Amino acid sequence: MACSTFLCPVASTFSQKPLQSTFLHSSVNPSFLTLNILPKKLRKPNQLRRLVVAKSNDSDSADVPDRLISALCYFYPFFDGIQYGKYVITQFYPVQAIIQPLVPAIRVFKSFPFNGFLVFLTLYFVVVRNPNFSRYVRFNTMQAIVLDVLLIFPDLLERGFNPRDGLGLDLMMSLDSTVFFFLLVCLIYGSSSCLVGQIPRLPIVAEAADRQVL
């Protein structure tokens, strides 16, 4: 997990396969299905209703709870990498306005040094490896995890190369700002896509997440 000691002056102020039926997977539009095309033993209304519900609970479905859980997961890498915005946040008021409502949650996340690691374990073992969650939730959660793991690289670079001034400092500021903006874009794109039921595929991390989620 990426380590952080940052709270800037401005910020501090402010599977199991679902039940399937051949008639539901045929080329016929389900809206035209009638009881007449079912076997006699399935012509009871309550049995038909159970079949339709089973079809709607597909592992790739994205109902409202799935969307909310998936959208919230993208806050994890953003909170864990908020320290990379220490230069941007202090210089650009629009970024400050975006971060301001998140300050209480960021403070809670950063209040304990191992919170990031605990969140990582929770998301991976409780959500990603749990077949009770839909693949939609598990894929988005895995994308957030992979994105957070990638923060190890700029963190190691910053620890090993910590210039005080000159060109080195300019390069480090550019790197940190680039990482921060990438995390911010991933947060906005990932969360907004999940809220409308779409599947966000983040650059770099989507294929890795696909391989981890069966």
Side-chain angles (χ1 to χ4, degrees):
M1 300 307 94
C3 301
S4 72
T5 58
F6 164 69
L7 267 181
C8 70
V10 175
S12 63
T13 60
F14 45 98
S15 96
Q16 293 180 347
K17 296 185 178 178
L19 298 175
Q20 296 182 348
S21 175
T22 55
F23 80 89
L24 284 174
H25 289 277
S26 66
S27 59
V28 180
N29 190 324
S31 62
F32 294 102
L33 292 175
T34 63
L35 293 176
N36 293 330
I37 67 175
L38 295 174
K40 290 183 178 180
K41 62 180 182 180
L42 296 179
R43 290 185 182 179
K44 295 181 180 180
N46 60 334
Q47 289 179 317
L48 176 61
R49 184 168 58 253
R50 284 198 295 270
L51 286 172
V52 174
V53 170
K55 172 61 180 174
S56 66
N57 289 334
D58 188 81
S59 60
D60 287 320
S61 64
D63 54 19
V64 174
D66 287 351
R67 297 179 190 184
L68 292 177
I69 295 172
S70 300
L72 288 174
C73 286
Y74 288 102
F75 284 89
Y76 165 52
F78 182 76
F79 286 177
D80 206 20
I82 190 66
Q83 70 274 7
Y84 295 107
K86 56 182 175 286
Y87 303 113
V88 175
I89 294 174
T90 56
Q91 296 178 17
F92 298 98
Y93 177 77
V95 178
Q96 295 177 22
I98 295 175
I99 301 301
Q100 182 66 39
L102 303 177
V103 169
I106 293 172
R107 286 178 175 171
V108 172
F109 185 86
K110 297 293 186 180
S111 62
F112 184 64
F114 297 103
N115 275 351
F117 183 64
L118 294 176
V119 173
F120 166 81
L121 293 178
T122 302
L123 292 178
Y124 187 77
F125 290 105
V126 176
V127 179
V128 175
R129 292 304 180 190
N130 188 349
N132 292 324
F133 285 98
S134 68
R135 190 183 189 279
Y136 184 86
V137 172
R138 291 184 288 121
F139 171 75
N140 283 288
T141 303
M142 194 65 220
Q143 274 203 133
I145 291 175
V146 174
L147 183 59
D148 184 71
V149 170
L150 290 180
L151 294 179
I152 293 175
F153 297 105
D155 183 62
L156 292 176
L157 183 60
E158 193 172 62
R159 289 172 181 269
F161 180 67
N162 190 21
R164 300 296 180 181
D165 53 22
L167 179 61
L169 180 60
D170 292 338
L171 291 175
M172 187 57 62
M173 291 173 62
S174 298
L175 174 63
D176 285 359
S177 299
T178 301
V179 172
F180 174 77
F181 278 121
F182 181 70
L183 292 174
L184 181 61
V185 170
C186 288
L187 169 63
I188 296 173
Y189 169 64
S191 296
S192 60
S193 296
C194 290
L195 290 176
V196 298
Q198 297 178 351
I199 301 178
R201 294 190 64 85
L202 303 180
I204 304 174
V205 304
E207 292 185 4
D210 264 331
R211 289 193 294 268
Q212 292 293 323
V213 180
L214 302 178

